[in-house]
């Protein structure tokens, strides 16, 4: 079986995808059309070509973070958010993804409140207007640039919505420009969320900051994202690496995101290799498939090619990812069954 085809057909699990970074050009064009048709405001002049960050892009990390404002200008109403969520879920489904934990940062816009923002995404997940078979869950994001009052407000919304929609709102996470903010300031809000039953994932080690990495690992999140600057070879220290290895916290790995933002020089020298050799759980993810013009199946293919993986090793990655989901055991069993059936059909 051709590797491309294999990676697409393999039932996959996405655990690190930011909604606004995942919007494809096709989805953004549909959203533009919606704004024009609704006569809400003129969104026709958003610069879609500046949204993508390809390999060799000359923008620095802070400039890369500015691209999200392009997507944000297209997700400012409830209808647009429903549309953005449904179309994005559909694209993941068409790429062979059977389970996704999509994440997004609630924003007050000209038209909706943070609560309405989250409720729109929940509605698209629970009662989509299109036919979706993908199982979708929501992780609520906190941006590191937020003021503490806003952080507490988002934690409150996450706790409240988790209470009402426990099967949909499954986690909370910390993201945004890693050069901004101190992790310690977010601990009280994250702890409150955790006590209410939400799982926690943290963007960790995107830039060299061993003290923060240790503080984050000490917090014992259920997963971390990226984990680049943890191994001494990539900007971490012996201490941070040992702490990660001992913690056994699963790592959401985003190959193309790391390469295109130049955190990692190329695919072959990605820390994926060290994580696997240390026996850690690794979950291949897209991060921002719209911004980085990638897909989950492409990430699996690139990983297989860069690290000379067999088809069975590739399928095993998806199986391992299933162990790291925030949903209940019955859902885990369901998706593991799908992957095992695929592997069975493939080997027989
Ligand atoms: P949103 O939360 O749906 O609006 O998705 C976009 C947001 O995700 C950005 O504004 C960032 O806060 C966050 N984000 C996307 N990619 C990254 C990343 O690679 N590192 C840290 N934060 C990110
Ligand atoms: Zn991310």
């Amino acid at each position: 079986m051709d590797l491309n085809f294999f990676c697409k057909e393999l039932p996959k699990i996405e655990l690190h995808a930011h909604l606004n970074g995942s919007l494809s050009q096709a989805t953004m064009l549909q959203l533009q059309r919606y704004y024009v048709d609704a006569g809400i405001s003129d969104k026709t002049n958003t610069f879609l070509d500046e949204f993508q960050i390809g390999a060799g892009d000359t923008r620095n990390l802070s400039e890369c973070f500015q691209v999200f404002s392009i997507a944000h200008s297209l997700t400012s109403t409830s209808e647009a958010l429903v549309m953005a969520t449904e179309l994005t879920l559909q694209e993941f489904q068409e790429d062979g993804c059977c389970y996704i934990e999509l994440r997004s940062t609630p924003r007050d816009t000209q038209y909706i409140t943070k609560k309405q923002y989250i409720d729109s995404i929940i509605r698209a997940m629970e009662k989509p207007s299109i036919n979706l078979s993908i199982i979708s869950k929501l992780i609520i994001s906190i941006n590191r640039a937020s003021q503490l009052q806003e952080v507490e407000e988002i934690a409150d919304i996450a706790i409240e919505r988790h209470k009402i929609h426990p099967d949909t709102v499954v986690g909370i996470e910390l993201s945004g420009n890693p050069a901004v903010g101190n992790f310690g300031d977010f601990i009280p809000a994250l702890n409150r969320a955790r006590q209410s039953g939400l799982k926690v994932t943290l963007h960790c080690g995107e830039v060299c900051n061993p003290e923060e990495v240790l503080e984050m690992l000490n917090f014992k999140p259920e997963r971390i994202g990226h984990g680049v600057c943890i191994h001494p070879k990539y900007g971490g220290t012996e201490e941070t690496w040992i702490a990660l290895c001992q913690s056994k916290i699963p790592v959401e790995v985003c190959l193309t995101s790391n390469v295109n933002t130049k955190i990692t020089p190329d695919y072959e020298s990605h820390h994926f290799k060290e994580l696997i050799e240390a026996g850690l759980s690794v979950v291949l993810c897209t991060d921002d498939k719209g911004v980085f013009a990638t897909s989950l199946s492409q990430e699996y293919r690139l990983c297989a090619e860069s690290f000379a993986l067999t088809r069975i090793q590739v399928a095993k990655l998806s199986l391992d990812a299933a162990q790291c989901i925030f949903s209940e055991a019955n859902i885990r069993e369901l998706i593991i069954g799908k992957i095992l059936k695929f592997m069975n059909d493939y080997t027989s």
Side-chain angles (χ1 to χ4, degrees):
M1 198 189 280
D2 165 69
L3 181 62
N4 256 326
F5 187 69
F6 180 87
C7 291
K8 197 155 180 204
E9 292 299 299
L10 171 70
K12 295 172 292 299
I13 287 136
E14 173 63 76
L15 300 182
H16 187 136
H18 302 268
L19 173 60
N20 279 283
S22 299
L23 304 184
S24 65
Q25 294 276 317
T27 296
M28 290 175 102
L29 287 171
Q30 283 214 43
L31 290 167
Q32 276 188 333
R33 212 168 304 135
Y34 151 79
Y35 278 100
V36 172
D37 290 349
I40 294 174
S41 67
D42 184 11
K43 305 278 177 187
T44 50
N45 56 0
T46 43
F47 303 106
L48 296 194
D49 45 343
E50 285 177 20
F51 187 60
Q52 286 188 351
I53 299 172
D57 196 290
T58 52
R59 285 173 280 191
N60 64 30
L61 191 64
S62 294
E63 286 166 340
C64 286
F65 276 95
Q66 288 165 17
V67 303
F68 296 110
S69 62
I70 300 171
H72 289 162
S73 71
L74 294 170
T75 53
S76 61
T77 72
S78 189
E79 291 78 12
L81 269 162
V82 168
M83 199 188 280
T85 306
E86 289 183 351
L87 292 173
T88 301
L89 293 178
Q90 188 174 39
E91 286 170 350
F92 273 103
Q93 177 177 307
E94 284 168 358
D95 189 42
C97 183
C98 61
Y99 175 94
I100 183 169
E101 288 172 11
L102 196 62
R103 54 184 76 189
S104 197
T105 325
R107 307 185 322 267
D108 290 320
T109 75
Q110 197 183 339
Y111 308 103
I112 51 171
T113 62
K114 290 188 185 70
K115 276 189 190 175
Q116 289 170 321
Y117 181 101
I118 290 300
D119 286 343
S120 308
I121 299 176
I122 294 174
R123 191 162 81 237
M125 288 180 161
E126 292 185 346
K127 292 193 184 78
S129 65
I130 53 175
N131 203 6
L132 291 175
S133 58
I134 186 170
I135 301 171
S136 58
K137 307 290 167 186
L138 178 62
I139 295 175
I140 295 182
S141 305
I142 296 175
N143 191 311
R144 300 177 58 115
S146 297
Q147 298 301 308
L148 284 186
Q149 193 190 340
E150 192 175 28
V151 172
E152 295 297 335
E153 184 194 352
I154 294 175
D156 286 341
I157 295 171
I159 292 166
E160 219 178 272
R161 289 315 186 247
H162 170 66
K163 239 182 229 161
I164 305 170
H165 305 270
D167 294 333
T168 302
V169 181
V170 294
I172 192 158
E173 71 110 15
L174 185 65
S175 53
N177 187 343
V180 177
N182 295 309
F183 173 63
D185 294 339
F186 302 97
I187 292 178
L190 292 172
N191 266 332
R192 279 200 305 118
R194 172 175 262 180
Q195 277 155 17
S196 81
L198 286 157
K199 304 272 172 44
V200 180
T201 174
L202 303 171
H203 278 67
C204 176
E206 279 182 280
V207 292
C208 182
N209 188 348
E211 276 171 29
E212 183 177 272
V213 167
L214 287 176
E215 211 178 347
M216 284 185 166
L217 295 177
N218 223 3
F219 180 80
K220 296 190 178 26
E222 275 72 24
R223 299 196 303 253
I224 59 166
H226 299 295
V228 184
C229 306
I230 300 186
H231 190 283
K233 222 167 111 182
Y234 307 104
T237 62
E238 285 296 334
E239 206 186 351
T240 52
W241 181 243
I242 290 169
L244 176 64
C245 291
Q246 287 179 344
S247 73
K248 300 209 180 320
I249 295 171
V251 184
E252 303 152 359
V253 161
C254 311
L255 297 168
T256 300
S257 163
N258 294 158
V259 171
N260 288 12
T261 54
K262 296 181 286 297
I263 297 177
T264 300
D266 50 51
Y267 289 95
E268 287 76 16
S269 42
H270 193 275
H271 60 290
F272 169 85
K273 192 163 167 272
E274 280 73 18
L275 296 172
I276 291 288
E277 282 172 2
L280 290 161
S281 293
V282 169
V283 185
L284 294 185
C285 301
T286 54
D287 205 9
D288 300 290
K289 76 174 181 61
V291 173
F292 302 119
T294 191
S295 64
L296 192 54
S297 62
Q298 181 163 303
E299 294 302 297
Y300 272 72
R301 179 181 60 76
L302 287 164
C303 188
E305 286 172 349
S306 306
F307 301 100
L309 305 181
T310 63
R311 302 286 197 275
I312 296 300
Q313 285 172 319
V314 173
K316 182 97 184 358
L317 281 173
S318 183
L319 213 46
D320 290 347
Q323 301 293 347
C324 304
I325 65 170
F326 284 170
S327 287
E328 299 298 327
N330 58 333
I331 295 188
R332 187 166 34 248
E333 297 314 316
L334 189 81
I335 54 184
I336 286 175
K338 276 189 189 181
I339 302 165
L340 287 177
K341 180 176 183 312
F342 173 85
M343 287 171 83
N344 243 339
D345 291 350
Y346 174 71
T347 48
S348 61

